[in-house]
Amino acid sequence: MVQAVDHNAGPVTRIDAHCHSSASSGPVNAAAGMIGCPECYSPPEKVYDLAMARGMDLVTLTDHDTIAGALELVERGFERVVVGEEVTVHFPEDGCKLHVLVWLLTPDLHEQIGTLGLRDDVYAFAAWLREKNLPHSLAHPLYIQNRKLTLWHLERCALLFKGFETLNGAHSGTHRSGVEAFLASLTPGKVHRLIEKHSLEPHWARIWEKARTGGSDDHALLNVGRAWTGVTLDDAREANIRPECVDASGTIADPREFFRAVMSGRSHAGGAAGHSSLLAHQLTTVAANYSARRLGGRSALSQEVAARALRFAGIDAPRPSKIRLGLSVLASKVRRRRRPTDPLVQALSSCARDVLANYPDLKARLSPEGISRGSALSEHDRMAEFADDLYAGIHAVLGSGALRAVREKDHKRIFDHVASYAMLELSQLPYLFSLFHQNKERDLVEQVEHESAEPGDGTSVLERPMRVMLFTDTLGDVNGVSRFIRNVAARAQATGRRLQVVTSTTMPLENAPNITNVPPVFSTEMPRYPQLQLALPPLVRLLRIADRFQPDVIHVSTPGPVGLAGIIASKMLRTPVAGVYHTDFPAYVEALFDESAGYMCAQAMRTFYAPFGAVFTRSHEYSASLQRLGIPESRIVPLQPGIMTEQFHPRFRDERTMQALGSPAGCVRVLYVGRVSVEKNLPLLTQVWKAADRRLRDLGVNAELVVIGDGPYRAEMERALRPCRARFLGFRHAEELSRLYASGDLFVFPSVTDTLGQVVMEAQSSGMPVIVSDQGGPREVVQDGVTGYVLSPDAPRAWIDRIVALAENADTRRTMGEAAHLSMRPYSMERSFEHYWRVHERVWLEHLSRRGIAPRSPGQAARLAEVVGPDASPATPSREFDQVGT
């Protein structure tokens, strides 16, 4: 349980117990070391000033393996300074690296750490801490530094160290819950079991009563004082702090007495935990400081531009004189006439001012007075929003310029734009790195929480509700896939399931609490399909949304840019990915282009679906297609089809709806609903209806073909059917679509590439007999001769005969329509959604099992057996979901 400060317990003495200065001069990683970039540039006195300005009563510096920064403050006479150090130590068994914060050090004690070789032996180091009675805390206990930290190491640390840092201002807030759960589980009985398990005696009395500390772990003057260790006045009294050490304001003035209260377990961690944007801004500030020191030798214009950019990081870099700057600008204009300006520079200059105008609070931080209150980068949420908007603005400008260069066939400008795009994407690296870095301990955090939880309290990962995030490129489109996703989102909301749908489109969407639309940075019409959109989403914004939601399973609905972002999110979050094979893209591409294009598409689909833990297929027909793509049969799950049966129902029949659209009364209406395109095999329907219309005229049957939908084949189909009785209504939505379905008399769907054909189910549910192809998924939801007919696409005469026979026989249509409606009743969206959810739960629990998270109670075992199956293993997943429509 997370302990909070009781603000009614008197004044609180605070210290940011984990803070860095320029004395932390080592590189943050090997790459930084190669170019000589240290991990921190913060002057010790500025860290001190910011800590005091943000309400700290004591100030410490805990630089890596040095006390030089803190000693400098002491020697210069700064008050209430605590000499601290972040000591790097290792387990001798395997070299697992730890960081331990130690306070109240002296130069002699610091030297002993090195001369005694304590950094190489955590056991000797822990014994030394006890011998010297030094206050200490295991820093960021769940941070895996050299890929070695496990629960085994953490259990040993529980016996070695008295203090644990439960709140670190630079690391993910998810760490805190894991650390607190672990510390809460340390009862005397468990400690005794750990002693026996590890054959390791603790050095400290009542080792289960841990000192809890918090600190910002700041490296860039951004978050100093925003995470802290606090001791209330009541806690100080209970720790028997000497009264003379408490000043008139009620705070503890003596650092030794303060840390005595901390080590007695009377402290609390307060403030804000870290997150990805915070880490990105720390890295950016360090990089900005590194760059600022290398501005010499550049042109005056370059120095001016760099100085303005560096102000975002709070760096007041030298700026050229006005005369020198004016000459540099003039020279730049002369050069520009000979050589066009770089597209990225043009885009930045054209939109930066306008974007910044929307953030007056950040703009105010760019002045010298504003910088003194903290840099713009210290406003993490606002700065991330600004960076997103600036990125989108630059993308828009570059996009229009790139299209113009392509139209004009200007090869040099095309290359310049490609290079500019590459530089723009590189600017996102700090955010991308931070998002991945902040989530790399997720497996360990969940394992620690699971092992520490009391079975039945609901905190174990095996007991809490599952979270699913669905990524889709198609949601604003009018098609069966979009309707299915919206229906799933609605069912999740109605049943209290935690499902978040994410898309990126400029198309209008209905508002829903669990659907998020992130505006794309680029969008255009699909070639040959002006009704469809190809959109490029802002990757960082999508990943940031996923980071906040922390899903347990990622569902990828479409193999497009947003779907690809979903796969990247699954890598970032260490989650399994599931998906659905909604559309037979290789077959579509082959129909639109040629066999070689279809083969290339199949290869792309094989790569895309390779990491999926489960792939839904909308029908058994396409299980074989997925296997041909290289998906193992054990990962293919036929999804129980589902539609909103109450939304598509014969009771919506309304002659007035059709008549209002121009359809004559008493007419037999033959409906087609869907995309009007070649890959839907509509040339066959065109051929068939021409002949059927002639025969029905000869028979005196008043009938017409009603086409609902739009697409690239519509104009050609309208011209071909102009002499016939045919009506094209375009897209229709919501209740009007329900009325149109129910007011039809016969439904035809000649597609041979649909994986399910949701419109076929909607038509039957509305009370219409249907005619479908014997190729593809729709045939699986039609009872041949009972609810409709399943015909070969290579036999157009059979299609003509069936259409004519049904059009002239109302009794047969009525009998088959009633049977069709009844046949769809088991295919409710409620049942389909429950199946959908259980499969995702199975994928999640199998993923946890592979990570070694096993049931610790009968209740957890029962849940696992219910979803996965009592004998199932990761290698042989349950097949209980193979029955479609049961």
Side-chain angles (χ1 to χ4, degrees):
M1 181 181 297
V2 176
Q3 292 187 351
V5 174
D6 180 3
H7 293 284
N8 296 319
V12 181
T13 305
R14 294 181 176 88
I15 183 173
D16 182 344
H18 188 169
C19 216
H20 295 273
S21 74
S22 54
S24 288
S25 56
V28 68
N29 55 39
M34 291 177 63
I35 61 173
C37 179
E39 64 177 342
C40 185
Y41 282 96
S42 307
E45 66 275 10
K46 287 196 173 183
V47 178
Y48 179 92
D49 290 342
L50 190 52
M52 297 299 285
R54 287 183 174 158
M56 298 300 103
D57 303 290
L58 301 170
V59 177
T60 187
L61 293 179
T62 51
D63 291 308
H64 282 296
D65 299 314
T66 179
I67 58 173
L71 282 181
E72 179 183 333
L73 293 178
V74 172
E75 291 167 357
R76 292 171 59 186
F78 286 83
E79 297 180 346
R80 295 195 175 192
V81 173
V82 179
V83 178
E85 179 177 352
E86 186 171 6
V87 183
T88 305
V89 295
H90 300 84
F91 275 88
E93 295 92 343
D94 57 4
C96 176
K97 183 194 290 187
L98 303 173
H99 283 165
V100 182
L101 302 169
V102 185
W103 302 281
L104 302 180
L105 285 169
T106 64
D108 179 60
L109 290 170
H110 165 72
E111 287 297 322
Q112 286 184 34
I113 296 173
T115 57
L116 297 176
L118 300 180
R119 292 188 174 89
D120 298 325
D121 188 339
V122 67
Y123 305 109
F125 176 72
W128 178 81
L129 287 176
R130 183 65 186 95
E131 177 190 341
K132 304 301 180 182
N133 198 26
L134 288 171
H136 63 276
S137 184
L138 179 63
H140 36 66
L142 299 184
Y143 176 43
I144 302 174
Q145 300 185 69
N146 58 350
R147 302 184 181 181
K148 296 180 183 295
L149 183 67
T150 65
L151 184 58
W152 180 89
H153 298 94
L154 192 64
E155 288 176 346
R156 294 201 155 208
C157 287
L159 301 176
L160 293 171
F161 300 113
K162 181 70 168 174
F164 271 62
E165 185 179 56
T166 58
L167 177 63
N168 182 285
H171 290 274
S172 172
T174 59
H175 286 206
R176 183 174 193 179
S177 61
V179 175
E180 290 283 6
F182 177 72
L183 297 185
S185 72
L186 294 177
T187 62
K190 182 171 181 178
V191 167
H192 180 71
R193 291 191 294 273
L194 291 179
I195 291 171
E196 291 185 334
K197 175 181 177 180
H198 294 281
S199 300
L200 193 62
E201 288 291 335
H203 297 293
W204 300 84
R206 305 180 68 85
I207 192 65
W208 55 87
E209 293 180 352
K210 295 296 184 186
R212 288 168 165 80
T213 69
S216 66
D217 200 359
D218 181 83
H219 289 71
L221 288 175
L222 300 180
N223 300 293
V224 176
R226 287 179 171 170
W228 40 266
T229 304
V231 175
T232 68
L233 184 58
D234 285 355
D235 284 334
R237 289 169 179 153
E238 289 186 18
N240 295 318
I241 299 299
R242 290 181 290 120
E244 62 269 24
C245 296
V246 179
D247 62 21
S249 65
T251 59
I252 305 169
D254 187 336
R256 291 188 176 277
E257 291 296 293
F258 173 83
F259 277 105
R260 188 162 68 81
V262 170
M263 293 302 287
S264 69
R266 301 293 178 181
S267 59
H268 309 270
H275 50 83
S276 60
S277 296
L278 186 156
L279 178 59
H281 296 155
Q282 287 217 108
L283 296 173
T284 301
T285 300
V286 172
N289 274 285
Y290 175 81
S291 301
R293 285 154 175 77
R294 286 156 177 78
L295 287 178
R298 296 188 181 184
S299 70
L301 181 58
S302 296
Q303 284 187 339
E304 176 67 18
V305 172
R308 290 186 180 185
L310 289 170
R311 284 188 173 275
F312 281 93
I315 301 170
D316 195 6
R319 303 173 70 172
S321 66
K322 291 184 178 180
I323 295 176
R324 185 169 170 239
L325 179 61
L327 293 173
S328 181
V329 170
L330 181 62
S332 175
K333 289 181 178 178
V334 172
R335 287 195 301 270
R336 196 177 302 159
R337 290 172 185 163
R338 302 175 190 164
R339 184 183 64 197
T341 306
D342 179 85
L344 182 59
V345 175
Q346 283 184 325
L348 181 62
S349 61
S350 68
C351 65
R353 189 184 300 274
D354 292 338
V355 174
L356 186 58
N358 295 324
Y359 294 87
D361 51 335
L362 296 182
K363 188 175 181 180
R365 292 294 181 105
L366 303 182
S367 66
E369 298 79 15
I371 289 177
S372 66
R373 299 194 305 271
S375 70
L377 280 174
S378 66
E379 300 300 318
H380 302 293
D381 292 338
R382 291 286 286 167
M383 194 65 205
E385 292 174 10
F386 169 77
D388 287 342
D389 288 348
L390 183 61
Y391 173 81
I394 293 173
H395 242 292
V397 175
L398 285 178
S400 60
L403 290 175
R404 186 165 55 252
V406 170
R407 285 196 297 267
E408 296 172 357
K409 298 181 180 180
D410 187 338
H411 298 292
K412 184 182 183 306
R413 294 295 286 170
I414 292 173
F415 176 80
D416 288 344
H417 277 83
V418 170
S420 294
Y421 271 120
M423 291 299 295
L424 179 60
E425 298 309 318
L426 282 174
S427 72
Q428 299 287 284
L429 280 180
Y431 287 113
L432 284 171
F433 170 82
S434 301
L435 282 160
F436 274 80
H437 189 77
Q438 290 282 45
N439 285 285
K440 69 186 181 70
E441 286 87 19
R442 180 171 182 175
D443 290 351
L444 178 60
V445 170
E446 290 188 341
Q447 184 185 17
V448 168
E449 286 180 335
H450 171 66
E451 295 295 334
S452 303
E454 190 68 28
D457 68 3
T459 59
S460 165
V461 68
L462 286 179
E463 294 176 349
R464 65 168 173 76
M466 176 180 65
R467 299 184 294 264
V468 177
M469 178 166 273
L470 188 154
F471 287 76
T472 179
D473 292 90
T474 177
L475 198 59
D477 316 76
V478 181
N479 56 42
V481 176
S482 297
R483 283 203 298 279
F484 177 79
I485 294 170
R486 289 195 294 269
N487 291 342
V488 164
R491 285 303 306 162
Q493 189 71 16
T495 58
R497 268 36 177 268
R498 300 197 63 186
L499 171 74
Q500 183 69 40
V501 178
V502 179
T503 190
S504 182
T505 181
T506 60
M507 294 181 176
L509 293 179
E510 299 175 11
N511 289 330
N514 58 349
I515 295 178
T516 300
N517 180 27
V518 180
V521 294
F522 174 79
S523 64
T524 186
E525 294 176 350
M526 286 278 285
R528 302 192 184 189
Y529 291 90
Q531 301 83 10
L532 301 180
Q533 184 184 76
L534 177 64
L536 183 65
L539 177 61
V540 168
R541 288 189 69 177
L542 287 181
L543 295 183
R544 199 177 286 132
I545 292 170
D547 180 44
R548 286 196 293 266
F549 187 68
Q550 289 287 308
D552 300 300
V553 182
I554 297 286
H555 179 101
V556 173
S557 179
T558 48
V562 177
L564 184 59
I567 293 179
I568 294 172
S570 75
K571 302 295 183 186
M572 176 187 82
L573 294 165
R574 274 70 176 171
T575 60
V577 59
V580 59
Y581 194 64
H582 273 298
T583 305
D584 191 358
F585 281 106
Y588 273 18
V589 171
E590 185 172 328
L592 288 170
F593 299 99
D594 52 35
E595 187 175 339
S596 61
Y599 172 78
M600 292 175 61
C601 182
Q603 293 300 108
M605 293 298 100
R606 178 177 288 110
T607 302
F608 186 85
Y609 284 103
F612 285 45
V615 181
F616 291 105
T617 176
R618 302 301 302 276
S619 61
H620 286 279
E621 169 83 10
Y622 282 90
S623 293
S625 299
L626 284 170
Q627 289 181 58
R628 286 194 294 273
L629 289 178
I631 308 299
E633 184 182 3
S634 61
R635 284 198 260 150
I636 300 171
V637 183
L639 174 63
Q640 179 173 312
I643 57 171
M644 302 296 282
T645 52
E646 292 303 307
Q647 183 178 333
F648 300 100
H649 196 279
R651 69 170 177 271
F652 287 104
R653 187 174 182 89
D654 184 358
E655 276 290 319
R656 292 170 300 179
T657 298
M658 282 294 190
Q659 291 175 25
L661 296 171
S663 180
C667 179
V668 176
R669 301 176 184 99
V670 181
L671 264 64
Y672 167 84
V673 178
R675 190 162 56 251
V676 185
S677 55
V678 171
E679 75 273 8
K680 292 292 187 180
N681 206 18
L682 290 189
L684 171 64
L685 180 57
T686 303
Q687 173 192 351
V688 164
W689 183 248
K690 283 182 178 180
D693 184 58
R694 285 194 299 269
R695 284 177 55 180
L696 289 169
R697 284 179 189 271
D698 293 342
L699 292 169
V701 177
N702 183 16
E704 68 175 1
L705 175 67
V706 179
V707 177
I708 301 173
D710 208 342
Y713 184 63
R714 175 176 172 175
E716 182 179 342
M717 189 175 183
E718 284 195 73
R719 284 194 299 270
L721 294 179
R722 194 166 290 154
C724 306
R725 293 172 292 183
R727 191 174 307 280
F728 291 80
L729 301 183
F731 289 125
R732 301 289 158 161
H733 309 274
E735 188 174 324
E736 183 187 18
L737 180 60
S738 299
R739 292 197 301 268
L740 291 173
Y741 265 123
S743 304
D745 300 289
L746 169 63
F747 190 82
V748 289
F749 194 72
S751 174
V752 297
T753 56
D754 270 64
T755 56
L756 175 65
Q758 186 160 323
V759 291
V760 176
M761 299 178 66
E762 293 168 350
Q764 291 184 99
S765 184
S766 299
M768 275 190 289
V770 299
I771 302 176
V772 301
S773 165
D774 65 358
Q775 297 179 29
R779 65 176 180 167
E780 294 185 14
V781 293
V782 178
Q783 298 175 37
D784 190 26
V786 179
T787 67
Y789 296 104
V790 179
L791 305 175
S792 169
D794 300 321
R797 183 168 294 280
W799 287 74
I800 297 166
D801 292 343
R802 292 301 186 188
I803 289 174
V804 171
L806 285 171
E808 66 174 344
N809 194 322
D811 290 339
T812 303
R813 290 199 312 271
R814 184 164 46 253
T815 300
M816 296 186 87
E818 290 173 355
H821 171 67
L822 291 174
S823 74
M824 289 296 104
R825 290 178 65 179
Y827 292 95
S828 69
M829 195 63 215
E830 291 83 358
R831 296 183 66 179
S832 179
F833 174 76
E834 292 303 322
H835 173 222
Y836 173 93
W837 196 258
R838 281 170 63 84
V839 172
H840 284 81
E841 198 166 31
R842 189 201 80 196
V843 170
W844 176 44
L845 294 177
E846 288 179 348
H847 170 73
L848 294 177
S849 178
R850 285 192 293 271
R851 287 163 44 198
I853 296 180
R856 297 180 57 241
S857 70
Q860 293 173 357
R863 181 189 184 189
L864 193 64
E866 178 188 2
V867 176
V868 178
D871 302 320
S873 69
T876 58
S878 168
R879 306 298 298 159
E880 65 173 297
F881 304 109
D882 283 355
Q883 297 302 313
V884 177
T886 56

